Amino acid sequence: MKMKKQMAYTEALEYIHSRPRMKNTDNRRAMRLLLESLGNPQDKLNIVHIAGTNGKGSCAKMLSNVLHQAGYKTGLNISPFVIDFRERFTINGKFISRETLASITEKVKEKQEYIWEHYQLKLVEFEIVTAIAFCYFAMEKCDIICLEVGIGGREDSTNVIKNSLISCIMNISFDHTDMLGETIEEIAYQKAGIIKPGQPVIAYPAMDKKALGIIKSEAEKQNAKLIIPDISQVLAEHQGKFCDVMTYKGLTVQQSFTGQHQSYNTAVVIEAAKALNSSGRYKITDENIKKGIEEAKFPARIEIFSKEPLIILDGAHNLDGVSALKKVLETNGVKNLTAVWASLSDKQPQKLIEGIAPFISKLYTVDIFGSRAIPKAELADMAKKYVPCCTAAQSLEAAIEQAIQNKENLLVFGSLYLASDARKIIIEKL
């Protein structure tokens, strides 16, 4: 009998990326069928569920590092990735192995084929990725998981979980309005859908008041304790170029990520760690919190590669993200940057470039992958009104290489997908 050849890592990636990208409208029926066929691995996990327009990745990364420092086997599931696809599935900071990813993907593929044959339901890419994460973390018997929502929350693929230890809802602003709603209240309603009955929810301390009202209402409905960090106790001190120290409730940490918004994200992480400690299920000391936050690393979140000349990489892709980036540049007295930018059509690109233009003296537009991506020439035409010295670059690599060779202060921003490609180029050229 001929043995079946095991799926290779490259085949696994090809399969995952071949799945439809559009959100399912079947109320997650396909996802539930898939997980049921896999033994419902999500029900075996202890989960901290994290939603928000901006900041959920930073929160997930910092909190997972705190839990690792406290001695727990901690899984982290984030979206999208920047360095490597396997970044989406890490345990104590280590990527899933290529062999394990391929093995789990093969099982998931078999189950998807059965579901298609019997129910005519297709699973989208994010559902497949989420199922792989649940299987991996359950197989490895993780003590706790930091799980980042994909889009929204209420109807997100990750929200098939029956319960969570804590829900964290980070800053809410306008993004994915075609799916989540046109008003801040509609978007907040989707985010608040991750709140589970009787389980604590921690909200970003500088939340829009209308959004916070929706979260409060949902928390009351679910009999969930709402914890909002006291913003008056979030004390941030700027200690030199891109060096911030924050104190919250007597705990002082050197921020691993710079900017006032990150001080607020850090306060959420501190409250989450303390809530887990108070539950009696986990023992987390202030030293664990301090060390975990200070040693957390997350690429493309206002990532500084060099200070002289300045080289910044940021995944800012919406108005809230660009607003945070502007505050950091202003605080650090940064001007006359050479910038490399790409954007998707649904991210209000004209408002994005208008907002960041005062900090830019020269702009290169580049192409990124995706049906919603704006061609670089069209983007350049749009941007010239705000940054007159603007051209469509020959390529992303050419734009970065020229700026580095000329020792210009460089900012690359506009998309985490752009940041993924740019990061490799920057490291290679430095």
Side-chain angles (χ1 to χ4, degrees):
M1 182 177 174
K2 191 175 181 181
M3 288 187 68
K4 184 182 175 184
K5 184 184 176 185
Q6 185 177 327
M7 179 181 277
Y9 174 66
T10 52
E11 291 175 307
L13 288 188
E14 285 171 9
Y15 170 71
I16 292 166
H17 296 321
S18 73
R19 304 308 304 162
R21 295 183 67 92
M22 293 302 292
K23 188 177 175 67
N24 264 337
T25 55
D26 62 4
N27 197 29
R28 300 189 301 277
R29 183 174 175 231
M31 183 68 173
R32 293 183 192 282
L33 285 168
L34 175 63
L35 291 171
E36 188 178 332
S37 72
L38 291 164
N40 284 316
Q42 76 282 3
D43 294 343
K44 301 166 188 172
L45 302 172
N46 299 311
I47 292 171
V48 176
H49 207 184
I50 304 166
T53 309
N54 293 90
K56 58 185 183 288
S58 297
C59 174
K61 185 66 177 179
M62 285 190 279
L63 184 57
S64 68
N65 215 43
V66 167
L67 290 160
H68 179 202
Q69 290 293 335
Y72 297 102
K73 190 172 187 179
T74 307
L76 172 64
N77 181 226
I78 60 168
S79 173
F81 68 95
V82 176
I83 301 171
D84 185 302
F85 180 78
R86 295 177 298 140
E87 187 182 337
R88 300 178 82 154
F89 325 88
T90 60
I91 297 177
N92 291 351
K94 294 183 179 178
F95 295 175
I96 187 174
S97 73
R98 292 169 183 260
E99 294 76 18
T100 301
L101 178 61
S103 174
I104 296 174
T105 302
E106 188 167 31
K107 290 176 187 173
V108 170
K109 180 176 182 284
E110 288 171 0
K111 303 299 184 185
Q112 155 63 84
E113 288 170 350
Y114 177 88
I115 290 168
W116 171 248
E117 184 181 344
H118 290 81
Y119 301 96
Q120 284 71 57
L121 291 171
K122 282 186 180 180
L123 284 122
V124 300
E125 180 176 347
F126 188 73
E127 289 173 324
I128 295 289
V129 169
T130 302
I132 292 168
F134 288 149
C135 288
Y136 177 52
F137 297 140
M139 181 180 80
E140 290 293 325
K141 297 182 170 56
C142 288
D143 298 314
I144 190 166
I145 310 300
C146 292
L147 178 66
E148 182 184 340
V149 164
I151 294 175
R154 192 173 297 273
E155 300 301 326
D156 188 67
S157 305
T158 62
N159 207 29
V160 291
I161 61 174
K162 293 176 181 175
N163 211 338
S164 57
L165 300 173
I166 294 174
S167 301
C168 295
I169 302 181
M170 309 308 289
N171 197 25
I172 294 174
S173 62
F174 291 96
D175 202 3
H176 300 293
T177 53
D178 56 328
M179 289 184 274
L180 304 181
E182 297 290 336
T183 68
I184 202 75
E185 293 94 336
E186 288 174 325
I187 296 169
Y189 174 76
Q190 293 298 326
K191 309 287 185 186
I194 70 167
I195 298 172
K196 297 295 185 285
Q199 299 299 93
V201 54
I202 302 166
Y204 185 78
M207 186 81 74
D208 177 276
K209 288 182 181 178
K210 291 178 182 177
L212 186 58
I214 298 296
I215 293 167
K216 283 180 177 177
S217 175
E218 187 67 23
E220 287 172 9
K221 193 186 297 182
Q222 299 293 347
N223 193 29
K225 180 182 178 182
L226 176 60
I227 301 167
I228 307 170
D230 184 350
I231 201 166
S232 69
Q233 292 194 49
V234 181
L235 308 174
E237 184 183 349
H238 186 60
Q239 294 191 340
K241 211 163 194 179
F242 300 100
C243 180
D244 298 329
V245 172
M246 70 87 72
T247 300
Y248 180 68
K249 290 187 174 179
L251 183 61
T252 299
V253 298
Q254 172 85 50
Q255 286 182 213
S256 49
F257 312 127
T258 191
Q260 185 186 48
H261 63 295
Q262 293 291 9
S263 297
Y264 296 150
N265 291 342
T266 300
V268 172
V269 171
I270 292 170
E271 288 287 7
K274 289 186 176 294
L276 288 169
N277 185 64
S278 298
S279 73
R281 298 182 63 172
Y282 300 90
K283 185 177 180 181
I284 304 167
T285 66
D286 281 357
E287 184 56 31
N288 296 149
I289 296 172
K290 177 179 170 64
K291 194 172 181 183
I293 291 169
E294 290 184 343
E295 294 185 4
K297 297 283 187 289
F298 206 0
R301 266 60 174 189
I302 310 185
E303 186 177 9
I304 312 297
F305 288 88
S306 165
K307 291 186 179 180
E308 292 294 338
L310 183 62
I311 300 177
I312 307 173
L313 177 65
D314 189 39
H317 60 279
N318 55 31
L319 292 178
D320 193 57
V322 166
S323 177
L325 173 60
K326 283 166 56 182
K327 285 178 184 175
V328 170
L329 297 176
E330 192 171 12
T331 299
N332 289 279
V334 176
K335 291 180 181 178
N336 299 318
L337 287 164
T338 293
V340 178
W341 178 49
S343 183
L344 301 177
S345 58
D346 59 347
K347 301 297 182 182
Q348 297 179 279
Q350 191 162 326
K351 288 186 177 180
L352 294 183
I353 196 62
E354 182 181 8
I356 204 75
F359 303 91
I360 297 172
S361 57
K362 186 194 298 182
L363 179 66
Y364 293 106
T365 58
V366 294
D367 288 326
I368 51 172
F369 175 78
S371 59
R372 294 175 295 142
I374 302 177
K376 60 186 179 183
E378 185 180 326
L379 206 57
D381 287 341
M382 177 198 301
K384 279 175 183 174
K385 177 180 175 183
Y386 307 101
V387 185
C389 185
C390 173
T391 56
Q394 181 183 347
S395 67
L396 173 62
E397 184 173 7
I400 292 174
E401 185 172 26
Q402 185 168 340
I404 290 176
Q405 283 182 351
N406 294 340
K407 300 189 182 303
E408 297 169 352
N409 292 328
L410 174 65
L411 167 66
V412 182
F413 77 107
S415 162
L416 281 171
Y417 296 107
L418 170 68
S420 177
D421 293 334
R423 196 173 191 276
K424 297 169 191 169
I425 297 167
I426 290 169
I427 291 170
E428 183 184 303
K429 302 296 179 186
L430 285 180

